[in-house]
Structures are given as C-alpha cells and as structure tokens.
Amino acid sequence: MNQQQRQDAIVELVRHQGYASIEQLTEHFTVTPQTIRRDLNTLSAEGLIRRVHGGAGLESSTVNTAYSTRKTLNLEAKQGIAALLARHIPNHASLFINIGTSNEIIAEALLDHQGLEIITNNLNVAAILQHKDDFNVIIAGGEVRSRDGGIIGEATIDFINQFKVDYGIIGISGIDDDGSLLEFDYQEVRVAQAIIRNSRQVLLAADHSKFHRNPVVRQGNITQIDALFTDRAPPDNVARLIELHGIELHIA
C-alpha cells in the first residue's frame, strides 16, 4: 500500500468510525506513529479530516471551514480543475456561476474568453470578471453573506428564475456515496437549485476532498448534472452513478 492508498484508507476508516486514534491507525496499517502523524497532518491540511489530540475525527457536518482557509485548500487541484472546465466553455456563451472558492478560480480561468454573459450570486466572481470590456456581468440581488461575498435569499432565487442560460457552473461542499450533493447553508442550496433548473447544461467543479465530506443540507443529486470536473477518480459508488446516467467525467 503506497502513501496515497493509505491516506485514502485512513479517511474511509475515520468516516466509518467517526474517530480513529494514532495507536489504532499505527496497528491497522503497520507503520510508525510518525508516519501516521504525517498522514493526519496532510489530510487535515486538505480538509479531509479534523486533527484532534491523539488521532483524527470527522469535520463538522453543520459548520463549513472558514472562507480564508478554503481559499488555499487544495489550491493546485482547483486551478487544474478550473483550467479544464474553462476549456469546455465556448466564447459568447451565457452562464451562471454560484458561490464557492473553486468557482472564483474558474472565473479567473475564463478571463481569456470573449463575449461571455455571466449571471452570478458571488461578489468575488463579479469582481474578478468586471474588468473584461467584452463581458456582460450581472449580479443577483439579495442578502450578502459577509464571510464570503455570497448572495442568497428569496430575492436571489426570483432573480435567477428570470434567466435561462447555456451553462450553470456550480460548486459543492460534499458529495455522498449515494450521489447526494450536500451543502451547509439552506439558503445557498435553494439558489443553487434555481441555477440547476435554469441551465441547459450543469457543470460541477469538485476537488477530491468533496467526496469525503458530509454537510447536512441536501442540494440535489449528482444525477442532475451533465459533467463533473475533478482531480481524482471518484469513489466506486459515485463512479457507477456517473456511468449509469451518462454524466461526463473530466479529471484534471
């Protein structure tokens, strides 16, 4: 078992049990405590587990990681995903871009395009795209979340429902084994659902860490999307759903 396989197995074990001690992991994988500590530190830095005294536990299912931390988590993976997704967006297309640090990186990757029309409920995305003279950037109305510049609420949903666009680019906080797309904020979920309804094609950007998180609010199911852009092969259960429903899988 190589390092990547061991770390993936650690995540699955912690997810199954809710907590695993360094002693248990050392015995289970027949490696030194120092090796396990390094693994746990790496997995914690990637947001896959929560490092606690003497071992590791699950991340909270009710509170998301701070925005400032998420900005740097798995940055290289997100940049690769963004570049790959941007290549699938033609010039002069219309698109939604919703809340999320991955989507902000995607916005940067779209700056070489021409003639895009973007409707967004993300102030950071709007700020990135506003400098392009040939882009038409439309900001949804609603309540601005101070922690990340996301715009949510009934007014946001009403606004989104006025459009029908070529592509809906969405992020997600977690993908469960049954394909459920999961988030932390009920209001954010309702806006994302409106984006899915009003997009001809739905493109989901999710790095590998999202396959091991369990936020509490159900946004929908992976079967509702047209393409998944990620950086590693999905878990077997999710991969079967992707194949069964003819979803395009793009791995950066």
Side-chain angles (χ1 to χ4, degrees):
M1 180 179 288
N2 62 32
Q3 181 186 54
Q4 186 60 63
Q5 291 171 329
R6 185 177 64 250
Q7 290 181 358
D8 289 344
I10 289 171
V11 172
E12 288 301 324
L13 184 62
V14 172
R15 189 179 185 193
H16 177 72
Q17 297 181 173
Y19 172 82
S21 68
I22 290 174
E23 182 181 3
Q24 177 193 3
L25 295 171
T26 298
E27 293 178 359
H28 184 84
F29 295 103
T30 320
V31 294
T32 67
Q34 290 78 12
T35 297
I36 291 297
R37 289 191 183 94
R38 285 194 296 270
D39 287 339
L40 297 185
N41 289 337
T42 299
L43 294 170
S44 177
E46 291 184 358
L48 296 173
I49 59 157
R50 181 166 51 91
R51 187 78 162 86
V52 296
H53 180 69
L58 292 175
E59 281 197 292
S60 172
S61 65
T62 59
V63 179
N64 201 359
T65 307
Y67 174 76
S68 59
T69 302
R70 286 186 283 122
K71 285 278 286 184
T72 59
L73 278 177
N74 302 320
L75 181 58
E76 186 175 345
K78 291 176 182 177
Q79 289 169 334
I81 292 167
L84 181 59
L85 189 151
R87 291 200 292 271
H88 286 75
I89 302 294
N91 292 327
H92 306 286
S94 59
L95 41 143
F96 291 123
I97 303 179
N98 79 339
I99 301 169
T101 56
S102 293
N103 284 346
E104 293 166 18
I105 298 172
I106 290 168
E108 294 173 352
L110 290 170
L111 289 172
D112 290 332
H113 283 58
Q114 287 81 48
L116 297 181
E117 178 154 329
I118 303 105
I119 301 101
T120 184
N121 64 321
N122 186 329
L123 288 181
N124 299 314
V125 165
I128 291 165
L129 298 174
Q130 66 170 330
H131 303 291
K132 282 278 288 182
D133 292 340
D134 61 326
F135 283 10
N136 187 28
V137 181
I138 304 170
I139 302 177
E143 175 188 348
V144 179
R145 290 195 313 207
S146 59
R147 67 177 180 268
D148 62 2
I151 303 171
I152 54 175
E154 292 298 324
T156 316
I157 297 168
D158 291 342
F159 186 86
I160 295 296
N161 284 333
Q162 295 180 59
F163 297 88
K164 187 75 174 183
V165 304
D166 299 323
Y167 300 94
I169 300 174
I170 62 172
I172 200 67
S173 290
I175 304 174
D176 208 350
D177 281 344
D178 65 358
S180 294
L181 304 179
L182 304 172
E183 274 294 352
F184 292 92
D185 188 322
Y186 173 70
Q187 289 185 297
E188 179 179 345
V189 159
R190 296 198 60 228
V191 176
Q193 289 169 342
I195 288 174
I196 291 171
R197 287 194 304 270
N198 292 291
S199 301
R200 295 182 181 91
Q201 292 190 53
V202 180
L203 312 183
L204 174 63
D207 69 77
H208 65 275
S209 69
K210 307 303 172 65
F211 295 111
H212 300 285
R213 303 182 77 205
N214 294 287
V216 69
V217 186
R218 187 192 302 270
Q219 176 173 296
N221 195 276
I222 202 166
T223 57
Q224 295 174 271
I225 71 168
D226 297 284
L228 169 65
F229 293 81
T230 186
D231 62 313
R232 292 185 194 170
D236 290 343
N237 288 348
V238 177
R240 279 192 288 270
L241 285 172
I242 289 171
E243 183 177 4
L244 179 63
H245 292 272
I247 300 164
E248 293 182 16
L249 175 62
H250 303 277
I251 300 178

